Amino acid sequence: MSSMRAHVYRVAAAGPDDVSGVEALFAAGLRPESVVAILGKTEGNGCVNDFTRGFASRSFEALFARHDVTGVCLVMSGGTEGALSPHWTVFSREKSEAPAGRALAIGTARTPVLPFHHLGRRQQILMVANGVKAAMRDAGIDDPRDVHFVQIKCPLLTLARVGVAENEGEAVATRDTLKSMGLSRGASALGAAVALGEADPGSIADADICTRYAIFSRRASTSGGVELLDHEIVVLGMGNGWSGPFAIDHAVMENAIDTSSVLKARDRLPASARLTAVLAKAEPDPSGKVGGLRHTMLDDSDISGTRHARAFVGGVLAGVFGMTDLYVSGGAEHQGPSGGGPVAIIVEKES
Amino acid sequence: MSSMRAHVYRVAAAGPDDVSGVEALFAAGLRPESVVAILGKTEGNGCVNDFTRGFASRSFEALFARHDVTGVCLVMSGGTEGALSPHWTVFSREKSEAPAGRALAIGTARTPVLPFHHLGRRQQILMVANGVKAAMRDAGIDDPRDVHFVQIKCPLLTLARVGVAENEGEAVATRDTLKSMGLSRGASALGAAVALGEADPGSIADADICTRYAIFSRRASTSGGVELLDHEIVVLGMGNGWSGPFAIDHAVMENAIDTSSVLKARDRLPASARLTAVLAKAEPDPSGKVGGLRHTMLDDSDISGTRHARAFVGGVLAGVFGMTDLYVSGGAEHQGPSGGGPVAIIVEKES
Amino acid sequence: MSSMRAHVYRVAAAGPDDVSGVEALFAAGLRPESVVAILGKTEGNGCVNDFTRGFASRSFEALFARHDVTGVCLVMSGGTEGALSPHWTVFSREKSEAPAGRALAIGTARTPVLPFHHLGRRQQILMVANGVKAAMRDAGIDDPRDVHFVQIKCPLLTLARVGVAENEGEAVATRDTLKSMGLSRGASALGAAVALGEADPGSIADADICTRYAIFSRRASTSGGVELLDHEIVVLGMGNGWSGPFAIDHAVMENAIDTSSVLKARDRLPASARLTAVLAKAEPDPSGKVGGLRHTMLDDSDISGTRHARAFVGGVLAGVFGMTDLYVSGGAEHQGPSGGGPVAIIVEKES
Amino acid sequence: MSSMRAHVYRVAAAGPDDVSGVEALFAAGLRPESVVAILGKTEGNGCVNDFTRGFASRSFEALFARHDVTGVCLVMSGGTEGALSPHWTVFSREKSEAPAGRALAIGTARTPVLPFHHLGRRQQILMVANGVKAAMRDAGIDDPRDVHFVQIKCPLLTLARVGVAENEGEAVATRDTLKSMGLSRGASALGAAVALGEADPGSIADADICTRYAIFSRRASTSGGVELLDHEIVVLGMGNGWSGPFAIDHAVMENAIDTSSVLKARDRLPASARLTAVLAKAEPDPSGKVGGLRHTMLDDSDISGTRHARAFVGGVLAGVFGMTDLYVSGGAEHQGPSGGGPVAIIVEKES
């Protein structure tokens, strides 16, 4: 009886357009059509005018086009503050003749196109919840407890899209395009929370999105992108129809210095396994304090608070894991508790 | 037989001019004239145009002037990136009737005025070495191995000072005032290295200062200030003529993610002791890599590399110590190995 | 019959705490108690964490305290981007035996303390309107058309202040501290507009503040400061009970490159008069365009749009006036038309 | 008798990869193979980690590749601070049946590959001087006084290139890669000065490059790029074998607020002509002063001085010309006097 087999590669990037490490994987035998998703950390500011994300995506699109492959989910997260190191994490999956067992499972889904006036509202939550369930099915995961990370790329509003909605007589949730990114990330995270049984869809109102942060997903990581109108969803978990040496678990940091939750999750994974990837979300604690002490991230008009948070939480996690090519992403609305965030850990067991 | 007794207080700061926490210590019984030094972390950029340091110093000068106290060593380090929390660390010492034993010892010294053309040269190294020895004597420490932290505030060049030197027919080490800060910090650190037996003064040439980083002190922390022409030196160590519950040890981080050195030092201190203060230096690794992986701190023209380094190493240390009001200071020339830095840990033992 | 006589001095500042130029004026005969207001440009970022404003204010308070003078209105505007030069503009007034004629008039007022939850709302508009009327009376100006510049220093929210309001059960207009500065500036400008008959208070709702920019004052310049809880107001105009060589007029720039309005105002003043001071407001055009072409100030997550605007409009005005110690202040919400701003020109006529 | 005819297009860019405006020119009849050079202003920081330049170049390379055109000189200058507007200036030339007269002339040249150890030295100056003369010949310009703008794209050193030189036993001018950009720009500008008779090659020593700024070109604009090993040179001037409505002149700003030089140059061009393009260099005055007054650009550790300078000089020039899509570029070593810079003005005469 055959199985599915996932593979995860962590590849250094010498610049936002440096896809040579992934080309080298292809040359070494990785089939381009087996690649499901690439999560990248690029060295821009991770904010509005970060063109390193687009430059990276364009470079990968060109690379895959040369191999006649389309549809790879590309999630580029800007910001390698502190000693964080620019890199790509490549997720692939293929049929295998190995017997099925319990191993890292990867599933993907795309939702229908989101009407612009649904963005940042309950409709987006429900649409994403359905998408996450579809991705779970694609991964062969039945039990939400087996899901350890849900990466969602979600749309945002532009002035043109607001215009389209308003021409159709619809009112959008916000006309502020930057704010629409937060709302879309927040609603998408809540969609994951609903799919994973972490939140009751009936109890979430439009007004709760990006305000009632007590509702959150412990496993969602969401990211807005101007280039799509639907949602791209990647679910990572432990599946029973899978084979291979990779395993995943996750922690939820309660605040920016909560290493104990992370250490516990790491210790649940086999001690002899080699660390493959760490995927985390970080944000400046909106309370203005960490561990009872004032931080200055939100008062700093020279450096965006998200940059501070990535640098600092990057340091916390690099201290724990002893490596700097970590996927630490900002903008953690409803992704983990306020001021904290989810951390997924992928390891490769000794074979 | 009486002893000296040191005390260390960590006080939150609501802003660069918020000395109310220290005023509260005075109201609670701390005698202002017993205060030897205050090390502050203020929320500026820690670079050239950081006026929070001067604002803080001015505020403390006014506070001490109200108590008719002068001569307190004020070392203000700008930059509380990430979740680092602005605070003051207050060092005091007084005679005590308690019997002398082995405890935290504090000694201070000031050097003669440094001729401007000696700055960043061997003469500064030798002058500081003498000053550190004087501060050791003041602390009653004979064995350099008992010294765990040497804080040195050193002068810098301004255009006016360059002019004075040149009018006297002397050539200064650099006419670049920013560069003079690095040279002064580096030469001062090498002075500490000489005093502590970490470096042989005969083997250091002018040209080695801020270039041959293989020579360094494992215990020096140096900081430039425009407001002085000599050096203010504070030595912290374990002294035999001292009493009280405080103890100190130190680690040397080999690079920005070297937690194991820090954990070992922490574990050398009594397990039941309460953490009082962590004093550390951080810098962007000049090799462009941490742990073999590229970092982008030195290529970032939007955020100074020293800010990146403080944020990141602040995160590493906050993860280890579980607190964010750490004294993490940038500019680590010859202070610890290249890309790493010294970390002093002060604890208060249970009494 | 006696008169009031105003004097205006422009003084270079070597740093935020450099009050030596004003001390020199005192030494040269300016009576400290005749000083009504000092408008300063300091070299901070002009945003939330700009401590150069507080440092400057503290330094002037200490200077005036040494002369037993209190109550001088200190308006420190951070941000000397581009080649703008840090400086102080000192406004004084005294009784004179000269006959009253038409000359520069100065009046001041302070409002009551603003409750935090009134900030950025109608209550602030009405409070400021009353304050501006009081300052006009103090200047002896009856006709609003004789007012050419209204400088208002207004409070802002900090996280601590938001907490105070919320503990009292009050909802603040925004929890975003940077945004609170804009709301406070905007409401204060609308207050001036109401006092000067430029806007009808009955027609302005809370929701109009910082959204309906078609309502604005052509003469208001407002500036937020963390150090006050009320409003300090200075009115400059042409008064009939005044004497002396100074005169004032104003322009309203329609956008960031509108030099023709400025040139016209300059040409209304006597050609032989010597330029004394230029006081202007600048902001990134919220439309995202200047003269039909896209600008990138509002998409730049590395540099605040207000810094961009001061640098650029500073250049425009420095090109017109041939000097760089101009008071160009950012944050021009409801101060002049959207994307433009008021420019006051003070000259000293030949005597 | 036929002539050459130049054309200059100014095209808005919605982002660093937005080449649609140039595509539209092609669709409207501009032949891609007639394009000689594109000078772009992109919205990055214009410093080390500005990836918008590479993103733009890559996008244009792809566009021209689709039209089977190679060898277009692409000069991307990052930084649209203030209200400067991202845009492309497209230079084309074609044979024309119109009679030759005096009109805008465009010539180009490439130098041989520059040995790495010649960079920043006299050899680079001489190589560039020959290249500029070749470009003048290509433009049909004999008299250096007819040259009004020389755009040079020059190489820089990378660590790899330093290694190549050192393996060959050669010492490079600097091992600091950022510094190599300045040296290359400076030496290239001096090369133009030599070609244009503004400087005597015999009197320039290696040590003068980037130190003796009294030697400079009044018409050079140089820009470093990692992607080339030789020099790309574009000369713009008034040629006798040319036809068409375009004309060019230039000014040299003596400092950042020197509008009178610019106004004079503008007034030398036909009053009825329509402004086509303004090409200027700007830099923070290294003296620390503009017009005798202190500026703070060089002490600002939050914003690079080059960004300040572009924003401010952009404002000065936008005020003069009433438009914001100006090519204002930083890094003006030996390009105009210290603190000032050349300004080329291209107009289209009424036909």
Side-chain angles (χ1 to χ4, degrees):
Chain A
M1 210 194 94
S2 70
S3 61
M4 290 299 289
R5 185 185 175 111
H7 218 293
V8 182
Y9 305 86
R10 212 168 74 245
V11 180
D17 58 333
D18 175 25
V19 302
S20 63
V22 177
E23 276 185 300
L25 289 179
F26 293 168
L30 174 65
R31 295 196 312 118
E33 53 273 32
S34 74
V35 175
V36 171
I38 295 182
L39 268 63
K41 282 302 311 178
T42 60
E43 57 208 278
N45 62 24
C47 302
V48 177
N49 63 326
D50 181 348
F51 297 100
T52 63
R53 295 174 301 214
F55 198 10
S57 293
R58 201 66 54 85
S59 302
F60 274 110
E61 284 160 13
L63 171 66
F64 281 104
R66 289 197 293 275
H67 292 274
D68 289 318
V69 172
T70 56
V72 176
C73 176
L74 300 171
V75 181
M76 296 301 153
S77 165
T80 56
E81 291 82 5
L84 289 174
S85 191
H87 69 284
W88 321 116
T89 308
V90 181
F91 296 87
S92 70
R93 68 176 192 184
E94 290 204 282
K95 281 224 172 106
S96 165
E97 293 311 306
R102 193 166 169 77
L104 174 67
I106 303 176
T108 66
R110 292 192 79 133
T111 67
V113 166
L114 181 75
F116 299 136
H117 63 290
H118 287 179
L119 185 145
R121 291 189 169 133
R122 277 179 53 80
Q123 293 99 326
Q124 187 177 15
I125 297 176
L126 300 176
M127 179 184 279
V128 169
N130 284 333
V132 172
K133 285 174 190 164
M136 284 172 63
R137 282 192 299 274
D138 185 55
I141 296 179
D142 298 323
D143 187 341
R145 287 172 298 183
D146 284 337
V147 173
H148 291 287
F149 199 69
V150 181
Q151 176 65 45
I152 301 168
K153 194 167 162 190
C154 52
L156 51 82
L157 295 179
T158 60
L159 284 183
R161 293 173 188 180
V162 170
V164 168
E166 295 181 347
N167 281 341
E168 290 168 355
E170 304 289 357
V172 291
T174 179
R175 306 185 86 250
D176 177 334
T177 58
L178 181 59
K179 204 171 164 187
S180 81
M181 293 181 73
L183 285 174
S184 186
R185 286 193 302 257
S188 297
L190 291 171
V194 165
L196 301 177
E198 299 172 309
D200 168 18
S203 72
I204 310 176
D206 283 358
D208 295 332
I209 300 171
C210 290
T211 58
R212 194 144 68 94
Y213 286 118
I215 322 173
F216 59 85
S217 171
R218 302 174 70 81
R219 289 161 280 178
S221 165
T222 67
S223 177
V226 73
E227 68 277 21
L228 80 175
L229 298 173
D230 56 352
H231 301 80
E232 289 185 7
I233 299 172
V234 180
V235 159
L236 303 176
M238 292 299 286
N240 293 320
W242 293 72
S243 62
F246 291 94
I248 187 170
D249 208 320
H250 78 277
V252 179
M253 292 176 78
E254 294 299 317
N255 66 21
I257 58 174
D258 175 19
T259 53
S260 70
S261 298
V262 179
L263 290 167
K264 272 180 217 157
R266 191 194 61 181
D267 292 347
R268 284 195 298 269
L269 288 159
S272 62
R274 198 169 52 82
L275 191 62
T276 298
V278 176
L279 313 170
K281 292 294 282 194
E283 68 177 358
D285 200 308
S287 74
K289 294 193 174 180
V290 171
L293 289 169
R294 183 169 75 100
H295 68 74
T296 60
M297 295 188 249
L298 294 171
D299 286 335
D300 191 340
S301 307
D302 298 312
I303 302 179
S304 159
T306 55
R307 304 202 74 181
H308 277 289
R310 277 190 299 265
F312 186 83
V313 175
V316 171
L317 293 173
V320 168
F321 290 107
M323 71 184 209
T324 60
D325 47 351
L326 309 166
Y327 181 87
V328 180
S329 165
E333 300 88 350
H334 300 290
Q335 299 151 66
S338 190
V343 180
I345 309 168
I346 302 174
V347 296
E348 185 174 2
K349 291 180 280 186
E350 284 191 336
S351 49
Chain B
M1 210 194 93
S2 71
S3 62
M4 289 299 290
R5 186 185 173 110
H7 218 294
V8 182
Y9 305 85
R10 213 169 72 245
V11 180
D17 58 333
D18 175 25
V19 301
S20 63
V22 178
E23 276 186 300
L25 290 179
F26 293 167
L30 174 64
R31 293 194 314 118
E33 54 272 33
S34 73
V35 175
V36 170
I38 296 182
L39 269 63
K41 282 303 311 179
T42 60
E43 56 207 280
N45 63 24
C47 303
V48 177
N49 63 328
D50 181 348
F51 297 100
T52 63
R53 296 174 301 214
F55 198 10
S57 294
R58 202 66 55 85
S59 302
F60 274 110
E61 283 160 13
L63 171 65
F64 281 103
R66 288 198 294 276
H67 292 276
D68 290 317
V69 172
T70 56
V72 176
C73 177
L74 300 172
V75 182
M76 297 300 153
S77 163
T80 56
E81 291 81 5
L84 288 175
S85 192
H87 70 285
W88 322 116
T89 308
V90 181
F91 295 88
S92 69
R93 67 176 190 184
E94 290 204 282
K95 281 222 170 106
S96 165
E97 293 310 305
R102 195 168 168 75
L104 175 66
I106 303 177
T108 66
R110 294 191 80 133
T111 67
V113 166
L114 181 75
F116 299 137
H117 62 290
H118 288 179
L119 186 145
R121 292 189 169 135
R122 275 178 55 80
Q123 292 99 325
Q124 187 177 17
I125 297 177
L126 300 177
M127 180 184 278
V128 169
N130 284 333
V132 172
K133 285 174 191 165
M136 284 172 63
R137 281 192 299 274
D138 185 55
I141 296 179
D142 298 322
D143 187 341
R145 287 173 297 183
D146 284 338
V147 172
H148 291 288
F149 199 69
V150 181
Q151 176 65 44
I152 301 168
K153 194 166 162 190
C154 52
L156 50 82
L157 295 180
T158 59
L159 285 183
R161 294 173 187 180
V162 170
V164 167
E166 295 182 346
N167 280 342
E168 292 168 355
E170 304 288 359
V172 292
T174 180
R175 305 184 86 252
D176 177 332
T177 58
L178 181 57
K179 205 172 164 189
S180 81
M181 294 181 72
L183 285 174
S184 186
R185 285 192 304 256
S188 297
L190 290 172
V194 166
L196 300 178
E198 299 171 311
D200 168 17
S203 72
I204 309 175
D206 283 359
D208 295 332
I209 300 171
C210 290
T211 57
R212 195 144 67 94
Y213 287 118
I215 320 173
F216 59 84
S217 172
R218 302 173 70 82
R219 289 162 279 177
S221 165
T222 67
S223 179
V226 74
E227 68 276 22
L228 80 175
L229 299 174
D230 57 352
H231 302 78
E232 289 185 7
I233 300 172
V234 180
V235 159
L236 303 177
M238 292 300 285
N240 293 319
W242 293 73
S243 62
F246 291 94
I248 186 170
D249 208 321
H250 78 277
V252 179
M253 293 177 77
E254 294 301 316
N255 67 19
I257 58 173
D258 174 18
T259 52
S260 70
S261 299
V262 179
L263 291 167
K264 273 180 218 156
R266 192 193 61 182
D267 292 346
R268 284 195 298 269
L269 289 160
S272 62
R274 198 168 51 83
L275 191 63
T276 298
V278 175
L279 313 171
K281 292 294 284 193
E283 68 176 0
D285 200 308
S287 74
K289 295 194 172 179
V290 172
L293 290 168
R294 183 170 75 100
H295 68 76
T296 60
M297 295 187 250
L298 293 172
D299 286 336
D300 190 340
S301 306
D302 298 313
I303 301 179
S304 159
T306 55
R307 305 202 73 180
H308 277 289
R310 276 190 299 266
F312 186 82
V313 175
V316 171
L317 293 174
V320 168
F321 291 106
M323 73 183 207
T324 59
D325 45 353
L326 309 166
Y327 181 87
V328 180
S329 166
E333 300 88 351
H334 301 290
Q335 300 150 65
S338 190
V343 180
I345 309 169
I346 302 174
V347 296
E348 185 176 1
K349 293 181 277 187
E350 283 190 337
S351 48
Chain C
M1 211 194 92
S2 71
S3 61
M4 289 299 290
R5 185 184 173 111
H7 217 292
V8 182
Y9 305 86
R10 212 169 73 246
V11 180
D17 58 334
D18 175 25
V19 301
S20 63
V22 178
E23 275 186 301
L25 290 179
F26 293 168
L30 174 64
R31 294 196 313 118
E33 54 272 33
S34 74
V35 175
V36 170
I38 296 182
L39 267 63
K41 281 303 310 179
T42 61
E43 54 207 280
N45 63 24
C47 303
V48 177
N49 63 329
D50 182 347
F51 297 100
T52 63
R53 296 175 300 217
F55 197 11
S57 293
R58 202 66 54 85
S59 302
F60 274 111
E61 283 159 14
L63 171 65
F64 281 105
R66 288 197 293 277
H67 292 275
D68 289 318
V69 171
T70 57
V72 175
C73 177
L74 301 171
V75 181
M76 297 300 152
S77 164
T80 55
E81 291 81 6
L84 289 175
S85 192
H87 70 284
W88 322 115
T89 308
V90 180
F91 295 88
S92 69
R93 67 177 190 185
E94 290 202 283
K95 281 224 170 103
S96 165
E97 293 311 304
R102 194 167 169 77
L104 175 66
I106 303 177
T108 66
R110 292 192 81 132
T111 68
V113 166
L114 181 75
F116 299 137
H117 63 289
H118 287 179
L119 186 147
R121 290 187 170 135
R122 274 180 56 79
Q123 292 99 324
Q124 187 177 14
I125 297 176
L126 300 177
M127 180 184 279
V128 169
N130 284 333
V132 172
K133 285 173 190 164
M136 285 172 62
R137 281 192 300 274
D138 185 56
I141 296 179
D142 298 322
D143 186 341
R145 287 173 297 182
D146 284 338
V147 173
H148 290 287
F149 200 67
V150 181
Q151 176 65 45
I152 301 168
K153 193 169 162 189
C154 52
L156 51 82
L157 295 180
T158 60
L159 285 182
R161 293 174 186 181
V162 170
V164 167
E166 293 182 347
N167 280 340
E168 292 169 353
E170 303 289 358
V172 291
T174 179
R175 304 185 86 251
D176 177 331
T177 57
L178 183 57
K179 204 170 166 188
S180 81
M181 292 182 76
L183 286 174
S184 185
R185 287 191 301 255
S188 297
L190 290 171
V194 165
L196 300 179
E198 299 171 310
D200 167 17
S203 72
I204 310 175
D206 282 358
D208 295 332
I209 300 171
C210 290
T211 57
R212 196 144 68 93
Y213 288 118
I215 321 173
F216 59 85
S217 171
R218 301 174 71 82
R219 288 161 281 176
S221 164
T222 66
S223 179
V226 73
E227 68 278 20
L228 80 175
L229 299 174
D230 58 351
H231 302 79
E232 290 186 6
I233 301 171
V234 180
V235 159
L236 302 177
M238 292 299 285
N240 293 318
W242 293 73
S243 62
F246 292 93
I248 186 170
D249 207 319
H250 78 277
V252 179
M253 292 176 78
E254 293 301 316
N255 67 19
I257 57 174
D258 174 19
T259 52
S260 70
S261 299
V262 178
L263 291 168
K264 272 179 217 156
R266 192 193 60 179
D267 292 346
R268 283 194 298 270
L269 289 159
S272 62
R274 197 170 52 83
L275 191 62
T276 298
V278 175
L279 312 171
K281 291 296 284 193
E283 68 175 0
D285 200 307
S287 73
K289 295 192 172 180
V290 171
L293 290 168
R294 183 170 74 100
H295 68 75
T296 60
M297 296 188 249
L298 294 172
D299 285 336
D300 191 339
S301 307
D302 298 313
I303 301 179
S304 160
T306 55
R307 303 201 76 181
H308 278 289
R310 274 190 301 266
F312 186 83
V313 176
V316 171
L317 293 174
V320 168
F321 291 106
M323 72 183 205
T324 59
D325 47 351
L326 309 165
Y327 181 87
V328 180
S329 164
E333 302 87 351
H334 302 290
Q335 298 150 66
S338 191
V343 180
I345 309 168
I346 302 175
V347 296
E348 183 175 3
K349 292 180 278 186
E350 284 191 336
S351 48
Chain D
M1 210 194 92
S2 71
S3 61
M4 290 299 289
R5 184 183 175 111
H7 218 292
V8 183
Y9 305 85
R10 212 168 74 245
V11 180
D17 59 332
D18 175 25
V19 301
S20 63
V22 178
E23 276 186 300
L25 290 179
F26 294 167
L30 173 65
R31 294 194 314 118
E33 54 273 32
S34 74
V35 175
V36 170
I38 296 182
L39 267 63
K41 282 302 310 177
T42 60
E43 56 207 280
N45 62 24
C47 303
V48 178
N49 63 328
D50 182 347
F51 297 100
T52 63
R53 295 175 300 215
F55 198 11
S57 292
R58 201 69 53 85
S59 302
F60 273 110
E61 283 160 13
L63 171 66
F64 281 103
R66 288 197 294 275
H67 292 275
D68 289 319
V69 171
T70 56
V72 177
C73 177
L74 301 171
V75 181
M76 296 300 153
S77 164
T80 56
E81 292 81 6
L84 289 175
S85 191
H87 69 284
W88 322 116
T89 308
V90 181
F91 295 88
S92 69
R93 67 177 192 184
E94 290 203 283
K95 282 224 170 105
S96 165
E97 294 310 306
R102 194 167 168 77
L104 175 66
I106 302 177
T108 65
R110 293 192 80 133
T111 68
V113 167
L114 180 76
F116 299 136
H117 63 290
H118 287 179
L119 186 145
R121 292 191 168 132
R122 276 179 54 80
Q123 294 95 327
Q124 187 177 16
I125 297 177
L126 300 177
M127 180 184 279
V128 169
N130 284 333
V132 171
K133 286 173 190 164
M136 284 172 62
R137 283 191 298 273
D138 186 56
I141 296 179
D142 299 322
D143 187 342
R145 287 172 297 183
D146 284 338
V147 173
H148 291 288
F149 200 69
V150 181
Q151 176 66 45
I152 301 168
K153 193 168 163 189
C154 52
L156 50 84
L157 295 180
T158 61
L159 285 182
R161 293 173 188 180
V162 170
V164 167
E166 294 181 347
N167 280 341
E168 292 168 354
E170 303 289 357
V172 292
T174 180
R175 306 184 86 252
D176 177 333
T177 57
L178 182 57
K179 204 170 164 188
S180 80
M181 293 180 74
L183 285 174
S184 186
R185 285 192 302 257
S188 297
L190 290 172
V194 165
L196 300 178
E198 299 171 309
D200 167 17
S203 72
I204 309 176
D206 283 358
D208 294 332
I209 301 170
C210 290
T211 57
R212 195 144 67 94
Y213 287 119
I215 320 172
F216 59 85
S217 172
R218 302 173 71 82
R219 290 161 280 177
S221 164
T222 66
S223 176
V226 73
E227 68 277 21
L228 80 175
L229 298 174
D230 56 351
H231 302 79
E232 289 185 9
I233 300 171
V234 180
V235 159
L236 302 177
M238 292 300 285
N240 293 319
W242 294 73
S243 62
F246 291 94
I248 186 170
D249 207 318
H250 78 278
V252 180
M253 292 175 79
E254 294 300 317
N255 66 18
I257 58 174
D258 174 20
T259 52
S260 70
S261 300
V262 180
L263 290 168
K264 273 178 216 155
R266 191 193 62 181
D267 292 347
R268 284 194 297 269
L269 290 159
S272 63
R274 197 169 50 82
L275 192 62
T276 298
V278 175
L279 313 171
K281 293 293 284 194
E283 68 177 357
D285 199 307
S287 74
K289 295 192 173 182
V290 171
L293 290 169
R294 184 170 73 100
H295 68 74
T296 60
M297 295 188 249
L298 294 172
D299 285 334
D300 191 341
S301 307
D302 298 312
I303 302 179
S304 159
T306 54
R307 306 201 73 181
H308 278 288
R310 277 190 299 266
F312 186 83
V313 176
V316 171
L317 293 174
V320 168
F321 291 107
M323 74 183 206
T324 60
D325 46 353
L326 309 166
Y327 180 87
V328 180
S329 167
E333 299 88 351
H334 300 290
Q335 299 151 64
S338 190
V343 180
I345 309 168
I346 302 174
V347 297
E348 184 175 3
K349 292 179 279 186
E350 282 191 337
S351 48

